[in-house]
């Protein structure tokens, strides 16, 4: 079995008794031929560029014996440098893992010559990507934890936090369904997994927008006068339009990157664009209804408290953790108000709220 046709093989043919020489002996003997060989190769490459056509089988006459165009790069006549690769042909698939584990012990060269190794089916790079994927998924899990904490602190609602994470997670299988089955894209590069961090950040941002729009609407339209349906009709279209603008501009930016001819970057751009679109759709379909459930639960808790005092339950605390401590706080304030005493039996805090509400209604009447 002949060794691969390479620069070393050419050197063995050019030297006297080259096939019996060791690597060190070849290196010492090649110094006498290096300059003349490089000059003849440069002339050959220059002639090939000027006169060669695909229909010709023979090389130009000034090309030395044993020269083949695959030995050099197209710019060899200008740089006098070349890069070549060789492949490990694993005859037994069971030894591929062992080869990879011992690849660090392979000769990597020195100086101007560097060695890199893989099999004919690129098994080494696939094993490396699988190992890297496991490590990067731990980073993605950390990203999910950070996003969960941020949403929980902002919303103070386990319900909204859970639904928000669910809508982010569901964007992955939906995007892959379109990517693989509808678009028919079989190539799924490792770079696509970076989309995990992109969609977690954008998904959390959409949740914050929806929450803040709802809170502002509920402040403008208090619960004892306006229903949840009324607030939803005001807040959700406003939130949806605001999120749509940011979503569509970001998605278009990623889809525009798909014109890049580099396959991994093209696939990454398409997949991230799909992730962003489906994250928006899931936000509208899941987070918005969750906000309605949250608001109704808060209104029901408020009514129950006004009738019977503290009306918190375990389910209520799943909707909003703020209920866990509000009951005792309000009881304390109520006892303090009773001690202060008001002749008409209305506490000072309720009196202020009543007067503020009457003032707001008067302003609305004047505006009408």
């Amino acid at each position: 079995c002949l060794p691969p046709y390479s620069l070393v093989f050419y050197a063995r043919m050019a030297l006297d008794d080259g096939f019996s020489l060791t690597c060190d002996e070849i290196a010492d003997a090649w110094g006498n031929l290096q300059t003349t060989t490089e000059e003849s190769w440069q002339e050959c490459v220059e002639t090939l560029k000027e006169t060669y056509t695909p229909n010709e089988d023979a090389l130009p006459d000034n090309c030395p014996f044993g020269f083949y165009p695959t030995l050099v790069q197209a710019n060899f006549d200008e740089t006098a440098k070349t890069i070549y690769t060789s492949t490990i042909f694993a005859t037994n698939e069971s030894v591929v893992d062992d080869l990879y584990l011992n690849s660090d012990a392979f000769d990597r060269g020195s100086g101007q010559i560097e060695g890199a190794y893989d099999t004919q089916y690129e098994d080494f790079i696939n094993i490396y990507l699988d190992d890297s994927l496991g490590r990067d998924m731990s980073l993605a899990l950390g990203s999910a934890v950070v996003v969960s904490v941020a949403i929980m602190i902002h919303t103070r609602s386990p319900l909204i936090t859970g639904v928000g994470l669910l809508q982010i997670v569901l964007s992955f299988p939906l995007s892959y369904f379109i990517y693989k089955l509808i678009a028919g894209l079989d190539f799924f590069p490792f770079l696509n997994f970076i989309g995990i961090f992109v969609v977690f950040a954008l998904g959390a941002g959409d949740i914050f927008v929806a929450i803040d729009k709802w809170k502002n609407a509920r402040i403008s339209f208090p619960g004892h006068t306006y229903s949840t349906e009324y607030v939803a009709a005001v807040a959700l279209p406003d939130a949806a339009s605001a999120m749509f603008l940011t979503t569509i501009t970001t998605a278009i930016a990623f889809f525009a990157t798909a014109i890049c001819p580099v396959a991994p970057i093209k696939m990454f751009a398409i997949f991230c664009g799909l992730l962003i679109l489906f994250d928006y759709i899931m936000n509208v379909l899941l987070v918005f209804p969750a906000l309605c459930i949250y608001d109704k639960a808060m209104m029901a808790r408020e009514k129950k408290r006004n009738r019977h005092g503290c009306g918190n339950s375990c389910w209520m605390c799943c909707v909003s953790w703020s209920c866990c401590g509000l009951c005792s706080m309000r009881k304390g304030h109520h006892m303090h108000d009773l001690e202060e005493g008001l002749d008409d039996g209305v506490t000072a805090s309720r009196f202020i709220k009543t007067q503020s509400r009457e003032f707001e209604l008067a302003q609305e009447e004047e505006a009408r």
Side-chain angles (χ1 to χ4, degrees):
C1 180
L2 292 175
Y5 195 74
S6 62
L7 295 176
V8 177
F9 189 78
Y10 180 89
R12 290 186 182 276
M13 292 192 302
L15 295 172
D16 295 335
D17 199 21
F19 288 97
S20 63
L21 299 179
T22 64
C23 291
D24 293 335
E25 291 172 342
I26 291 176
D28 294 336
W30 181 252
N32 300 325
L33 299 177
Q34 181 175 356
T35 302
T36 56
T37 301
E38 289 179 354
E39 291 176 353
S40 62
W41 282 17
Q42 284 180 289
E43 294 177 0
C44 175
V45 171
E46 186 176 355
T47 305
L48 280 171
K49 287 182 177 181
E50 294 175 353
T51 63
Y52 184 75
T53 60
N55 296 326
E56 296 181 10
D57 294 331
L59 296 175
D61 295 336
N62 60 347
C63 291
F65 173 76
F67 173 81
Y68 200 72
T70 56
L71 291 174
V72 296
Q73 273 66 52
N75 62 346
F76 182 81
D77 56 327
E78 301 172 359
T79 63
K81 294 182 179 180
T82 188
I83 301 173
Y84 79 98
T85 60
S86 60
T87 303
I88 299 173
F89 290 89
T91 56
N92 190 342
E93 289 295 328
S94 62
V95 303
V96 171
D97 291 336
D98 294 333
L99 284 172
Y100 176 77
L101 294 176
N102 292 282
S103 61
D104 291 337
F106 297 167
D107 185 11
R108 298 288 174 174
S110 60
Q112 295 184 350
I113 299 178
E114 296 181 358
Y117 299 90
D118 204 343
T119 66
Q120 66 188 100
Y121 299 112
E122 298 184 348
D123 294 303
F124 282 11
I125 187 62
N126 292 329
I127 296 174
Y128 174 77
L129 290 179
D130 291 339
D131 293 342
S132 300
L133 182 60
R135 294 192 297 269
D136 288 349
M137 287 303 100
S138 62
L139 296 176
L141 181 61
S143 175
V145 172
V146 171
V147 170
S148 301
V149 172
I151 297 174
M152 181 70 78
I153 292 175
H154 184 75
T155 63
R156 291 190 286 184
S157 170
L159 172 67
I160 301 299
T161 301
V163 172
L165 289 178
L166 178 64
Q167 61 98 5
I168 293 174
V169 172
L170 287 179
S171 64
F172 285 92
L174 293 172
S175 299
Y176 187 75
F177 175 80
I178 299 297
Y179 181 95
K180 177 72 174 180
L181 299 180
I182 304 301
L185 301 174
D186 295 326
F187 181 49
F188 194 83
F190 180 77
L191 188 63
N192 284 7
F193 289 100
I194 297 179
I196 294 174
F197 305 98
V198 175
V199 75
F200 264 114
L202 294 176
D206 287 345
I207 294 171
F208 294 152
V209 171
I211 289 289
D212 290 343
K213 291 290 186 181
W214 186 280
K215 286 182 178 180
N216 292 335
R218 177 48 80 187
I219 292 173
S220 300
F221 306 100
H224 58 275
T225 304
Y226 296 93
S227 65
T228 298
E229 291 78 5
Y230 185 89
V231 175
V234 173
L236 298 187
D238 189 20
S241 61
M243 290 187 297
F244 179 77
L245 290 177
T246 58
T247 297
I248 199 65
T249 52
T250 308
I252 289 175
F254 275 108
F255 286 135
T257 310
I259 64 174
C260 178
V262 180
I265 297 179
K266 180 193 291 287
M267 299 299 103
F268 169 74
I270 295 174
F271 188 68
C272 280
L274 292 173
L275 280 176
I276 293 169
L277 291 179
F278 278 107
D279 177 73
Y280 170 77
I281 295 173
M282 289 294 101
N283 191 295
V284 173
L285 295 179
L286 296 180
V287 175
F288 285 8
L291 285 172
C292 295
I293 296 173
Y294 172 87
D295 189 78
K296 281 184 174 294
M298 293 299 100
M299 294 303 101
R301 186 191 68 181
E302 189 67 23
K303 290 180 180 179
K304 191 173 182 180
R305 180 182 292 114
N306 292 336
R307 292 177 185 173
H308 310 291
C310 180
N312 293 334
S313 64
C314 182
W315 184 85
M316 285 293 186
C317 289
C318 292
V319 174
S320 175
W321 73 12
S322 61
C323 71
C324 298
L326 283 178
C327 180
S328 59
M329 292 174 60
R330 294 199 176 190
K331 277 185 176 180
H333 287 305
H334 182 65
M335 294 302 296
H336 176 72
D337 291 335
L338 288 177
E339 291 174 0
E340 293 292 332
L342 288 176
D343 294 337
D344 58 359
V346 180
T347 64
S349 59
R350 292 183 182 177
F351 177 79
I352 294 173
K353 291 181 180 179
T354 303
Q355 295 299 316
S356 299
R357 181 55 192 157
E358 289 177 355
F359 178 75
E360 291 176 359
L361 292 175
Q363 285 187 325
E364 292 176 3
E365 189 66 24
E366 290 178 2
R368 294 175 182 175

